[in-house]
Amino acid sequence: MSAHTPVADDRPSIASARPLRFSLVAGVTGLTAAALAITWLTAALALRAYLLERIDDRLAAAVALVREGAAPVPEQGPDSATPVTDYLIEFRRADGLTVRLDGGTPLPAEPLLDGADPAVPGPQTVRGAYRVRVVRGVNGTMLIGLPLAPVRDAVTRLATTAAFTAVTVLTLLTVLARWLVIRRLRPLEEIAAIAGAIADGDLDRRVGAPEPGSPAARTEVGRLSVAVDGMLTRIQTSMAVMRTFVADASHELRTPLTSISGYLQLIRGGAVDLAARPDVLGRLEEASSRMGVLVDGLLYLARLESEPPARREPVDLAVLVHDAVTHARAAEPDRPLTVRVIAPVTVAGDEGTLRRVLANLLGNVRAHTPPGTPAQITVSANGDRVRVTVADQGPGMTAEAAGRAFERFWRADAARTYAGGFGLGLAIVAEVVRAHGGVTGIDTGDGVAVWFELPAAATPGDRATVTRDAGSEGTR
C-alpha cells in the first residue's frame, strides 16, 4: 500500500468566503440573541428568587404565630380536621398520629413530614413542589407549607412572554440590520467594482470622493473614497511620469547608440580606415562614455528613490563647499569663484551624496554660463535651517524654465544636443536634498541662483562671515 501525501487545500474557508454583509448581519443577530437570552434568564431567575422570598416571609410569619400560640394546633384526628388557612399544615403527635389540613390545595399522597428534615430550622423545599418550615413543640412536630405551583406558573408565563418578545425583536432587528448593512456597504461595492475596472487598465475611473472637509468626507467610507481617489491620481501621475521618463531616456540613448552603430557599420564595410581616421575611435569612445554617464545618472536616481541615504552623521557644509570649489577651480582655473560662509553650518546627512550635490551645482554653472563668468557660493544659517546658494552672473532663465529645472531630462534650450548635458544634474540635486528632509529652489534675476536648504544638526552659535576670491585660500 503506497503512502499518500496530504495535499494542502488552497480553497478559501467558508468563513473567509462569506460576504461582509452576511458576517455583519450574522454578528449583530448573534450578539443580540445572546443579549436577549441573558436578559431572559436573568429576569426568570430574579422573579423566581423574589417569589420564593415572599413565600419564605409568609412561612416565617406563620411560624411566629404558632410559637406565640395565636394559631390553632390540631388535636383531632385526620377525619375531623378542618382547613383554617390557605397553608398546608401537618401535625405529628408524639404517638405518631399525623393530622393534615389543606388550604384549598389538594394534599399530596404522602405526608410532607416524611420528606422534610426536622433538623433544618429554615425554609426547605420538599419533593420540588412545596416550600415548608418545620416547628418542633412539646406535643409533637408541626409542618407549615405553601405550594410552589404559583411560582412555577409565574416564571413559566414570564419565560413564554419573554421568548415570544425576543423572537419578534430578533426577527425585526435582523431585517433592519440587513437593510442597513446593504445600504451602508453599497459604496464599498461600488469602490470594489471601480477597483476591478482599474485593475483591468482603466486608470481614468474614480470613486467620486466627497469634498474635503464635508460631513460625508469624515465618515469611514468617505475617508476611504478620498484615499482611493488620491491614490489613483498619484498612480496615474506616476505612470505618466514613468512613460515620459522612459521616452526621454530612450531618446537620449538613441543618439549615442545611433552614432556608435553608424561608425561600426562604416568600419565593417571598409568605408573608414582606422589608420587614416583615428578620430573615429575617439568619437566612438566619447559616445559610449556619454551613454555610460547617462546610465550612471539613471541608476543613481533609481537608487536614491528606492534606498535613500541611510547614513546620518554630522557634516560640515563649509568643508564640503571648500572641497567642491577646489575641484571646480582645478577643472576651470579662469572662472572667478567666491565663497561666503557663515559658520557654523553643520547638518546631519550622508557626506558622499552631499558632495555630489555641490559638484552638480558647480558643474551646472560651467555647463550653462560662458567661460570666465563669475559665480558665488554662499552658505548661511537661519535658525534650524542651513542654506547653500550657488549664484552665477550668466544669461539667466525665465520663471517658467526655473519652475521645471529640477525635472528629469528637462533643459532650458530644447534645441541643444546631448553634448550639452542630459538634464539629470538638478534632478539628482532635488532627490538628494529631498531624501535629507530639505527643499530646493531657483531665484532668477541677474543670473541664476540655485539653492537648497537642509535641517541644521546643531543650533548656530556666533556667526562669522568669511569671503574668498579666486586667488585666496583664507580661513574658514
Side-chain angles (χ1 to χ4, degrees):
M1 181 181 294
S2 60
H4 296 279
T5 302
V7 180
D9 188 3
D10 294 332
R11 293 175 299 176
S13 63
I14 295 177
S16 62
R18 289 172 178 170
L20 178 60
R21 69 166 66 93
F22 176 84
S23 300
L24 291 176
V25 173
V28 171
T29 303
L31 291 176
T32 305
L36 291 174
I38 294 173
T39 303
W40 171 82
L41 180 61
T42 303
L45 293 177
L47 178 62
R48 184 178 185 277
Y50 171 75
L51 294 178
L52 285 178
E53 184 179 0
R54 293 292 303 273
I55 289 178
D56 291 342
D57 291 342
R58 294 181 62 191
L59 291 176
V63 170
L65 291 176
V66 169
R67 288 174 177 172
E68 293 174 359
V73 177
E75 296 291 344
Q76 301 174 343
D79 296 334
S80 61
T82 304
V84 295
T85 67
D86 59 346
Y87 295 90
L88 296 177
I89 300 175
E90 293 182 356
F91 181 76
R92 180 166 292 173
R93 297 186 310 190
D95 58 3
L97 179 64
T98 301
V99 179
R100 307 173 66 193
L101 291 86
D102 64 60
T105 302
L107 291 171
E110 299 294 333
L112 295 179
L113 280 171
D114 295 340
D117 186 358
V120 176
Q124 54 183 301
T125 301
V126 178
R127 298 172 186 169
Y130 295 91
R131 192 75 168 168
V132 302
R133 289 283 300 268
V134 178
V135 181
R136 289 184 175 183
V138 177
N139 298 325
T141 302
M142 177 177 287
L143 178 145
I144 303 175
L146 287 172
L148 293 178
V151 175
R152 184 167 53 250
D153 294 343
V155 173
T156 301
R157 179 175 297 180
L158 172 66
T160 303
T161 304
F164 176 78
T165 304
V167 171
T168 303
V169 170
L170 193 61
T171 302
L172 294 177
L173 181 64
T174 301
V175 174
L176 180 61
R178 184 175 183 276
W179 177 78
L180 287 175
V181 167
I182 292 175
R183 185 171 180 269
R184 300 298 293 178
L185 289 183
R186 187 174 295 116
L188 293 181
E189 295 179 351
E190 294 175 358
I191 292 175
I194 293 174
I198 293 170
D200 293 335
D202 187 5
L203 296 180
D204 294 328
R205 294 287 297 275
R206 291 295 182 271
V207 175
E211 292 294 330
S214 63
R218 290 192 292 268
T219 64
E220 291 79 1
V221 176
R223 293 200 301 269
L224 177 61
S225 301
V226 171
V228 170
D229 275 358
M231 178 188 65
L232 294 176
T233 300
R234 288 191 294 272
I235 290 176
Q236 192 172 28
T237 302
S238 299
M239 292 292 292
V241 171
M242 181 62 67
R243 293 190 188 99
T244 303
F245 177 78
V246 172
D248 291 341
S250 302
H251 174 74
E252 298 292 345
L253 287 171
R254 186 180 297 112
T255 302
L257 284 174
T258 301
S259 299
I260 293 173
S261 177
Y263 279 121
L264 289 177
Q265 289 179 7
L266 291 175
I267 294 172
R268 179 180 298 175
V272 175
D273 186 3
L274 294 180
R277 294 287 307 277
D279 60 309
V280 172
L281 292 179
R283 293 179 181 178
L284 287 173
E285 184 178 2
E286 180 183 1
S288 62
S289 176
R290 289 186 175 276
M291 189 166 59
V293 170
L294 174 60
V295 172
D296 288 342
L298 294 175
L299 292 176
Y300 190 77
L301 274 173
R303 186 164 61 251
L304 285 176
E305 292 177 345
S306 60
E307 299 178 3
R311 295 178 58 186
R312 288 293 185 270
E313 57 186 10
V315 178
D316 191 345
L317 285 181
V319 175
L320 268 59
V321 167
H322 173 68
D323 294 343
V325 169
T326 300
H327 292 305
R329 287 171 179 162
E332 197 175 17
D334 296 334
R335 182 182 296 275
L337 297 177
T338 303
V339 179
R340 184 172 179 265
V341 178
I342 300 176
V345 284
T346 303
V347 299
D350 180 73
E351 181 177 337
T353 56
L354 293 177
R355 285 185 181 275
R356 180 150 188 171
V357 167
L358 295 171
N360 284 6
L361 292 178
L362 292 175
N364 195 62
V365 172
R366 292 196 302 271
H368 299 292
T369 61
T373 301
Q376 178 177 335
I377 300 91
T378 303
V379 185
S380 60
N382 181 16
D384 60 349
R385 309 289 291 183
V386 176
R387 173 178 284 211
V388 177
T389 304
V390 179
D392 60 60
Q393 300 178 17
M397 63 173 63
T398 64
E400 179 184 0
R404 300 189 58 188
F406 293 102
E407 297 179 9
R408 301 175 185 180
F409 298 113
W410 191 88
R411 289 168 291 195
D413 186 2
R416 293 170 64 180
T417 63
Y418 70 94
F422 299 106
L424 293 178
L426 291 183
I428 292 175
V429 169
E431 190 63 30
V432 171
V433 172
R434 184 198 62 79
H436 282 78
V439 294
T440 55
I442 295 179
D443 297 332
T444 59
D446 296 334
V448 174
V450 184
W451 56 267
F452 66 88
E453 285 187 355
L454 296 175
T459 303
D462 297 333
R463 298 179 179 177
T465 301
V466 180
T467 304
R468 300 193 197 99
D469 55 25
S472 65
E473 292 298 326
T475 304
R476 290 187 294 108

